[in-house]
Amino acid sequence: MSLHNVIVLVSCLLASASALQKLTELYKWSSLDYTFASDEHKSYALERGEFVPENNLPVGIEVWKNKLFVTVPRWSNGVPSTLNYIPLDVSSTQSPKLTPYPNWAYNREGNCDGLTTTYRVKADSCNRLWVLDSGTVGIGNTTKQVCPYAIHVFDLTTDKVLRKYTLRPEDTNDRTFIANIAIDIGSKGCDDTFLYASDELGYGLISYSWESNTSWRHTHSFLMPDPLAGDYNIGGINFQWGEEGIFGITLSPITESGFRLLFFHPLASNREFAVSTEILRNPKLTSEEIYHDFVVLPSRGPGGHITAHYMHDNGILFFNLIDRNAVGCWNSRLPYEPKNLGIIDVDDEALIFPSDVKVDSLNNVWVISDRMPIHLMSKLNFNDINFRIFFATLDTALAGTVCANNIPYIPNEHSNYITANVY
């Protein structure tokens, strides 16, 4: 057993009991803390308002070897670092402190050479960490664009910056808000890589080519919100996010065509959509030329709002159901319809707003919950547990669900089911 798995197993044995049936609570916090250089450093940050614990909300996770990355957006003052990690091989507490990645200086607010605010990050099979910095401080009406949108790519084996690319002015508009990215490594290897970014409020989809080091923007009516799906009831709070367009994006395995499918959904929607990356990789195609290449899937039904989802290499899609305090799944060998959408786990306390879900290279499913609507629209009780990170092995997560059917996994052929069921 690897050191990673040993530490995870020991941590799980120490975790508190939960009503959850499959997900195991690994970490939990009432409020976040960081690995400041010293007590004096922390006291200085508290006194100057550079660290205000109640303003720190974790939203995104990613796992690479012994690092569990956790992102914290700068929605208010007092967030000392936006990109952080927990060392899985040395963490022995249930409420570990976050360590800035790659260091404190790179996460300093106002440093436009570094990171201002990031939401969800992605580690790829080429040992690169992809980070989209929104360059913003604040949220909603308080948002200020203090630095331009930029893509930061790190070499995870050295923790050095491989590249920083600033999005072109044409890639964004005056409403742009980007929280999610997907990374598409093609059949030619690591240089054949594209990043896709979803512009939630500007209703666009951005492509970036690693090889050509350039970016471009796509538009489509499927990227817009459904005006009938903007009402939410989460954590005892009723609210409206009616303007929330394309949000979660994830990629299928490579299909017979040599390209992947990008699955996406507006946040204010109960539907999933898809488009081939063959379309997204071509900067010369116009919106009119690609209109019919975007495909709509059947509705998930009421209570089908999703923020994040992630498709595993075996073609199984994992997603959060934020209205239901649940994590779900879909085996893409089956038609996309409500009866084939399984529930992995649900908990009306521990899973209030499961903000992000990922699957690591060891086939562990990871979920973070953060009570985001309560944080934004009411007030968190910092005597309670507000933030949690869970995990489960892939087999444990899928056991007993419709997603664990008997159709065998056949490398390079299972994608036929995906293509057939989407188109």
Side-chain angles (χ1 to χ4, degrees), residues 71-74 82-83 106-121 130-137 144-154 164-167 172 176-181 195 197:
T71 64
V72 184
R74 284 192 166 101
T82 187
L83 178 60
Y106 209 85
N107 283 274
R108 188 179 70 249
E109 183 175 344
N111 174 21
C112 290
D113 292 328
L115 298 170
T116 301
T117 285
T118 190
Y119 291 89
R120 290 173 182 85
V121 299
W130 295 75
V131 181
L132 182 68
D133 179 33
S134 70
T136 57
V137 174
K144 296 180 180 179
Q145 192 78 45
V146 297
C147 299
Y149 272 91
I151 299 166
H152 300 248
V153 186
F154 298 89
K164 177 189 174 185
Y165 174 84
T166 301
L167 295 186
T172 60
T176 289
F177 171 74
I178 303 173
N180 289 281
I181 60 173
L195 172 146

Side-chain angles (χ1 to χ4, degrees), residues 349-380:
E349 176 66 21
L351 281 177
I352 295 176
F353 209 87
S355 177
D356 200 7
V357 56
K358 291 288 177 61
V359 182
D360 67 20
S361 62
L362 298 175
N363 289 329
N364 295 308
V365 180
W366 295 81
V367 178
I368 183 171
S369 67
D370 62 13
R371 299 186 172 185
M372 186 188 298
I374 301 173
H375 172 78
L376 292 176
M377 299 170 195
S378 180
K379 186 176 183 180
L380 290 174

Side-chain angles (χ1 to χ4, degrees), residues 38-48:
S38 63
D39 290 341
E40 290 76 16
H41 180 200
K42 181 176 179 178
S43 296
Y44 180 81
L46 287 167
E47 290 171 3
R48 291 175 56 88

Side-chain angles (χ1 to χ4, degrees), residues 46-105:
L46 287 167
E47 290 171 3
R48 291 175 56 88
E50 294 174 0
F51 178 37
V52 181
E54 59 267 28
N55 289 346
N56 287 250
L57 182 93
V59 298
I61 54 173
E62 178 62 299
V63 179
W64 180 81
K65 294 189 176 180
N66 68 331
K67 286 185 171 69
L68 170 59
F69 290 96
V70 180
T71 64
V72 184
R74 284 192 166 101
W75 285 342
S76 301
N77 64 301
V79 177
S81 175
T82 187
L83 178 60
N84 313 277
Y85 73 95
I86 298 167
L88 291 170
D89 53 350
V90 298
S91 178
S92 59
T93 173
Q94 289 182 287
S95 304
K97 297 178 180 180
L98 305 184
T99 298
Y101 186 87
N103 51 51
W104 279 102

Side-chain angles (χ1 to χ4, degrees), residues 130 132 149-151 163-172 178 193-197 205-218 279-285:
W130 295 75
L132 182 68
Y149 272 91
I151 299 166
R163 181 179 297 177
K164 177 189 174 185
Y165 174 84
T166 301
L167 295 186
R168 305 173 311 137
E170 306 95 297
D171 296 331
T172 60
I178 303 173
T193 301
F194 286 74
L195 172 146
Y196 309 116
L205 186 58
I206 299 162
S207 294
Y208 166 76
S209 166
W210 172 267
E211 191 168 24
S212 62
N213 195 32
T214 192
S215 55
W216 56 96
R217 182 179 177 90
H218 315 270
I279 303 302
L280 302 181
R281 283 169 165 248
N282 189 340
K284 297 180 180 180
L285 296 175

Side-chain angles (χ1 to χ4, degrees), residues 216-265:
W216 56 96
R217 182 179 177 90
H218 315 270
T219 58
H220 197 284
S221 58
F222 289 177
L223 309 180
M224 297 180 180
D226 179 347
L228 303 180
D231 190 54
Y232 301 75
N233 291 280
I234 301 173
I237 299 176
N238 172 247
F239 57 95
Q240 292 73 45
W241 283 346
E243 296 181 344
E244 315 294 319
I246 178 173
F247 199 78
I249 55 176
T250 191
L251 291 160
S252 77
I254 294 177
T255 67
E256 276 190 335
S257 68
F259 299 94
R260 303 177 191 272
L261 293 172
L262 181 84
F263 290 94
F264 67 91
H265 51 260

